[in-house]
Amino acid sequence: MRRRAAVLATAAAIVSGCAGHGGTGPAAPAPLGGEAWVERTLAGLSLEERVGQMLMARISGDFSSLASPEFRAVAHQVEALGVGGVAIGIGSPPEIALKTNALQALAKVPLLIGADVEYGPGMRLWSPTYLPYLTEGGGGTILPYNMGIGAIGDTAAAFAAGRLTARESRAVGINWVFAPVADVNTEPTNPIVNVRSYGADPHAVARLVAAFVRGAHDGGALTAAKHFPGHGDTGVDSHVDLPVLRVDRPRLDSLELVPFRAAIAAGTDGVMVGHLAVPALTGGKPVPATVAPEIGTALLRRDLGFDGLVITDAMTMGALRHLPGYSPGEVAVWAVEAGADVVLGPPDVAAARDAIVAAVRAGRIPAARIDASVRRILAAKARLGLPARRTVDPDSVMRLVGSAEHRRIADELARRSITLVRDSASLLPLAPRAVHSVVLLTFAAPTELNAGRTLATELARIYGHAERWRLSEASTPAEVDSAVSRAARADAVVFATFYAPVSGQGFLRLPDRVLEVWRRVRATGRPVVGVSFGDPYGTAALEGLGTYLLAWQPRGEPAQRAVAAAIAGLAPITGRLPVSLPGAPLGSGTPRPAVGYTPPDGGLVRVGMGACAPASGDPLLGRGVAGRGMPGAAPLGGRGCQGGGARGCCIAQPRRSGMTPITPARERP
């Protein structure tokens, strides 16, 4: 009850700007030490509490009241079951900070709070889209996917990504980043690794993995290289079923294990073991690495000499469900027997704790084995400085998350990652003085409302006129016909895809609708620039696509701004392929210098969202344009601007007199 009262006190302190337990912003981990605290704390824990330290619960990152069922359930796991950590999901930065502070206030021992932030804090510190207005809120900084960092090929870029990720994560209370991804993506059909990997060259991946680890440490967070022993050469999503890596030990040593050795040498705090089988290591049987002592203990601990935290991937994933004898408790025991220190997200936390405790009391797991894991966990908490200050200062959220410095880094990494795979007709750059109308065809899941919006705005700013047609599998034949018809009359077409791995989807491929539209657009004979903002493999296979750019990030604005600048020649194109594509080997690329053109100084000014009528235009705006009371203004219409029923419009307005007005990007379905 006292700790529950502390939660209320902490919440009040957050509002007043002074969180309990010595609130702080991110700081570098404390020097190795804290042995006295570790031993004192360990001695004060019962067997049940020691086992609890090895379990990591899960909670969403969005707002929930202290009385909500989800928060109460996780609060029980923290207070009564004594879990040692919590993995947090998607939420806005202040929501996550509130929740991590509240959970820390409940814990007898400070919590490790982890999150998947592989492509920057924006992977979890979400920027929400508010309907019906289709406005986007603020969130964490979104960086290129790891494969985009691989296209840059610079360890300084990976270090900067790691440091930025750690700083924003620590600002909201996340102290353990489940990154970097150390998988080497050598299988083009891999449905879940793909752009999450730095690339297909194990030594290049190793250098970037090590640099990320060093950067994250500099930013004050723990790391966990994943998914051991390597998920890159598989064709199955482990969220759905069990991937099987059919390679021998010499091949593992020469490829999959190279980045993990580099991560260990760089001092990674953890290694996340994946739910994938390597029969060559388990007597020919397809046993998930998570529950295989031959992998978690013999290979990782003994052969690679790793003495940090071994953490499982989430124990709710489909790869484990078909194991003979599976139960939520027994699978947790298997993971500990295999070498895990931290069992991530057991489907039933209480059953997992009780089963492990019973296994110790029955002599199945030595008590010394539990103590060794708990010492590692407590030592990691000591390195983070959690015994002295476990919560965060709310002021650091607004100061650090999405800061101007971090936005500059995101823009720079996005610009440097742009890769021109091929340009057989020397189409790029599209000269802004020769091209006056651009049609942007975007292909994304129906839920990706903002895919291409920033790109359309930038293209309109540069070329004077741009239309955006948002297409998906849900698009009607009439919408497709209209989009193709408009593309046939444009000076140039940008054909952009926004597809990337989705956990649990089980596949990654271009929808049939994309292939259909591509065939029709190609037949128009118009100049086409193909751009993939995610999966590089699928779009590369479009027959006859002569100009193909890779941008490496389907979310956020930096990649879209970088693509517009690259197309127009306003920025150089310098990226190199970190994987092999048809006709384009690893390391290849087609550099382009900047041409130095300066576009007219105009741009979109968003007004009256929620007040303007679609397509036909707002009466007030119409009168203003007709009467020249709004020089350079033009209505923005189309269903794509409504965003689920909202009525809205934008106008383009020159920022200085004497400049040519710029027509806005016309959003279509």
Side-chain angles (χ1 to χ4, degrees):
M1 291 299 293
R2 286 195 298 270
R3 285 199 297 274
R4 188 172 296 280
V7 173
L8 299 177
T10 298
I14 291 171
V15 173
S16 67
C18 183
H21 294 286
T24 181
L32 289 176
E35 292 87 354
W37 178 83
V38 169
E39 294 303 323
R40 183 173 64 252
T41 303
L42 179 63
L45 298 176
S46 66
L47 173 60
E48 290 79 4
E49 289 174 323
R50 295 180 190 202
V51 171
Q53 286 294 301
M54 298 175 66
L55 304 177
M56 193 166 233
R58 303 183 76 176
I59 194 170
S60 66
D62 59 349
F63 175 78
S64 58
S65 72
L66 299 178
S68 68
E70 184 201 34
F71 188 86
R72 290 173 62 188
V74 178
H76 172 76
Q77 293 166 356
V78 171
E79 288 187 293
L81 303 180
V83 297
V86 177
I88 198 159
I90 293 170
S92 71
E95 288 172 329
I96 290 179
L98 281 168
K99 193 166 282 187
T100 60
N101 274 356
L103 290 170
Q104 290 285 17
L106 286 173
K108 175 180 177 180
V109 179
L111 298 168
L112 291 176
I113 297 181
D116 289 313
V117 282
E118 300 165 9
Y119 56 80
M123 184 174 176
R124 281 295 175 265
L125 310 187
W126 205 258
S127 298
T129 299
Y130 298 101
L131 299 178
Y133 306 105
L134 204 63
T135 57
E136 191 169 5
T141 302
I142 300 174
L143 303 177
Y145 270 108
N146 288 339
M147 205 169 275
I149 304 298
I152 298 172
D154 183 359
T155 56
F159 181 94
R163 184 175 186 275
L164 183 157
T165 299
R167 283 174 58 79
E168 291 195 14
S169 296
R170 287 303 305 268
V172 299
I174 296 168
N175 47 49
W176 194 1
V177 300
F178 295 154
V181 174
D183 303 320
V184 183
N185 199 82
T186 52
E187 173 49 63
T189 65
N190 194 314
I192 192 59
V193 176
N194 197 268
V195 286
R196 299 167 66 197
S197 164
Y198 286 106
D201 179 343
H203 299 286
V205 172
R207 290 191 295 272
L208 299 174
V209 161
F212 182 97
V213 169
R214 291 192 295 268
H217 285 170
D218 191 69
L222 304 180
T223 58
K226 60 186 185 184
H227 306 81
F228 189 82
H231 203 334
D233 196 12
T234 61
V236 173
D237 179 0
S238 52
H239 296 84
V240 178
D241 208 341
L242 179 64
V244 179
L245 185 61
R246 299 192 182 280
V247 301
D248 58 18
R249 177 60 190 271
R251 153 61 190 266
L252 281 171
D253 283 329
S254 66
L255 198 147
E256 279 81 7
L257 297 182
V258 173
F260 288 100
R261 285 195 172 95
I264 292 168
T268 187
D269 309 275
V271 170
M272 180 178 287
V273 180
H275 301 314
L276 64 144
V278 189
L281 300 179
T282 54
K285 298 177 181 178
V287 180
T290 329
V291 295
E294 300 91 338
I295 295 175
T297 299
L299 178 59
L300 181 54
R301 290 270 190 231
R302 185 193 66 201
D303 295 354
L304 271 63
F306 180 61
D307 194 35
L309 292 170
V310 176
I311 180 173
T312 70
D313 208 340
M315 300 298 285
T316 53
M317 291 165 61
L320 300 176
R321 289 305 178 96
H322 303 298
L323 289 173
Y326 171 90
S327 72
E330 188 64 12
V331 74
V333 173
W334 294 339
V336 173
E337 289 179 322
D341 298 305
V342 178
V343 180
L344 174 61
D348 186 329
V349 174
R353 192 191 74 157
D354 292 347
I356 297 170
V357 168
V360 174
R361 288 184 170 147
R364 182 176 167 186
I365 298 176
R369 163 72 180 82
I370 301 298
D371 288 353
S373 288
V374 178
R375 279 192 175 91
R376 292 188 187 100
I377 293 165
L378 295 176
K381 295 178 179 184
R383 289 199 302 276
L384 288 165
L386 297 182
R389 34 183 204 182
R390 61 175 73 177
T391 57
V392 297
D393 179 354
D395 289 344
S396 68
V397 178
M398 293 185 68
R399 186 173 67 252
L400 286 172
V401 177
S403 68
E405 174 195 357
H406 290 177
R407 291 197 304 272
R408 285 193 296 271
I409 292 172
D411 283 335
E412 176 68 7
L413 294 181
R415 182 191 66 76
R416 294 179 61 196
S417 73
I418 300 298
T419 306
L420 182 56
V421 178
R422 56 179 174 263
D423 187 18
S424 56
S426 298
L427 190 60
L428 296 186
L430 286 176
R433 300 192 186 281
V435 173
H436 304 292
S437 65
V438 176
V439 166
L440 169 63
L441 305 180
T442 65
F443 300 86
T447 53
E448 294 292 336
L449 301 177
N450 290 314
R453 293 185 73 198
T454 297
L455 176 56
T457 299
E458 289 296 301
L459 291 174
R461 183 180 67 85
I462 294 168
Y463 292 103
H465 178 86
E467 293 182 5
R468 171 199 176 215
W469 291 78
R470 184 167 62 88
L471 301 174
S472 72
E473 281 291 88
S475 298
T476 67
E479 289 168 344
V480 171
D481 288 346
S482 296
V484 173
S485 174
R486 295 297 294 174
R489 298 195 295 272
D491 290 339
V493 178
V494 176
F495 192 96
T497 58
F498 292 78
Y499 297 102
V502 177
S503 298
Q505 180 173 270
F507 64 88
L508 180 59
R509 59 177 177 268
L510 291 182
D512 291 341
R513 179 56 51 80
V514 177
L515 305 179
E516 171 201 344
V517 176
W518 166 247
R519 287 191 291 268
R520 294 180 60 183
V521 168
R522 183 188 177 197
T524 67
R526 307 312 300 154
V528 181
V529 178
V531 185
S532 173
F533 284 88
D535 169 33
Y537 301 101
T539 307
L542 292 176
E543 184 179 358
L545 179 59
T547 301
Y548 184 36
L549 276 171
L550 298 174
W552 310 111
Q553 182 48 260
R555 290 188 53 239
E557 297 182 353
Q560 296 185 48
R561 287 195 294 265
V563 164
I567 288 174
L570 303 180
I573 300 174
T574 58
R576 296 285 182 175
L577 268 177
V579 295
S580 295
L581 296 177
L586 187 151
S588 65
T590 307
R592 286 283 190 275
V595 297
Y597 170 80
T598 302
D601 188 9
L604 290 177
V605 177
R606 190 172 299 277
V607 298
M609 293 305 295
C612 303
S616 60
D618 174 66
L620 178 60
L621 177 60
R623 290 195 298 270
V625 174
R628 299 187 179 274
M630 300 179 181
L636 170 61
R639 280 176 34 197
C641 200
Q642 298 175 45
R647 292 171 175 264
C649 66
C650 301
I651 62 171
Q653 179 175 310
R655 301 184 191 278
R656 295 199 303 266
S657 60
M659 302 303 294
T660 303
I662 294 177
T663 307
R666 300 179 185 274
E667 294 194 0
R668 300 298 184 183

